[in-house]
């Protein structure tokens, strides 16, 4: 049996989605973390600022090469976690079948229900294909002129992914 997958989605698949996948992988949970971009140049390594930010958090640096998101890749994902509203809109346009499994990281980290139900049921209850997202539901890109902004971004992504990881696993039933 294959593990359920969480596909993190950003623009170039070089910074935000790479960091998020590395954080989820570090949890060692039941989900396989992958990443892709909506406008990626395939085969590119992550930049040194991204690598250094992961190291600063004490996370293993993955052997990353960028890849373009495709409908086939999105269809295979159990959950698609976008970094910005534009990525959610891209999924809704190019792969509408994945829209019910797609929202932004901050939105999911604050709204994915806890409980004993399987993830697919909890996602279905959210009606993600029509969910309204605001600017507060986004993870902004770092400032390329400020290397410290990558570490700030990595710390924010870690906080959000830690909360998402807590919400991904169904809680055991309570009561008796």
């Amino acid at each position: 049996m294959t593990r359920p997958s969480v596909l993190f989605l950003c623009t170039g698949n070089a910074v935000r989605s790479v960091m998020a996948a590395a954080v989820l992988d570090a949890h060692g949970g039941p989900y396989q973390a992958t990443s892709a971009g909506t406008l990626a140049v395939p085969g590119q390594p992550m930049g040194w600022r991204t690598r250094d930010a992961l190291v600063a958090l004490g996370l293993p640096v993955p052997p990353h090469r960028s890849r373009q998101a495709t409908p086939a890749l999105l269809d295979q994902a159990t959950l698609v976690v976008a970094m910005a509203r534009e990525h959610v809109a891209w999924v809704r346009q190019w792969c509408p079948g994945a829209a019910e499994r797609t929202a932004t990281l901050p939105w999911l980290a604050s709204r994915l229900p806890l409980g004993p139900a399987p993830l697919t049921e909890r996602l279905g209850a959210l009606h993600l294909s029509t969910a309204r997202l605001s600017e507060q539901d986004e993870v902004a890109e770092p400032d390329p002129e400020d290397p410290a902004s990558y570490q700030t971004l990595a710390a924010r992504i870690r906080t959000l992914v830690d909360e998402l990881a807590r919400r991904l696993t169904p809680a055991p039933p309570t009561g008796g």
Side-chain angles (χ1 to χ4, degrees), residues 88 92 99-102 107 124-133:
V88 173
R92 288 175 179 175
E100 277 297 321
R101 296 176 277 115
T102 303
W107 198 96
L126 294 172
H127 306 287
L128 294 178
S129 66
T130 58
R132 291 181 186 260
L133 305 169

Side-chain angles (χ1 to χ4, degrees), residues 19 44 49 51 55 65 68 77 87 94-95 115 118 128 143 148:
M19 290 178 179
Q44 298 299 305
R49 290 178 179 101
R51 183 189 65 245
V55 169
R65 293 288 180 207
Q68 174 65 35
H87 307 128
W94 296 104
C95 191
L128 294 178
D143 178 354

Side-chain angles (χ1 to χ4, degrees), residues 95-140:
C95 191
E100 277 297 321
R101 296 176 277 115
T102 303
T104 62
L105 177 56
W107 198 96
L108 288 164
S110 66
R111 292 178 181 88
L112 181 62
L114 295 166
L119 177 60
T120 53
E121 286 181 31
R122 292 182 286 136
L123 288 172
L126 294 172
H127 306 287
L128 294 178
S129 66
T130 58
R132 291 181 186 260
L133 305 169
S134 72
E135 189 174 327
Q136 289 74 35
D137 296 317
E138 297 188 323
V139 176

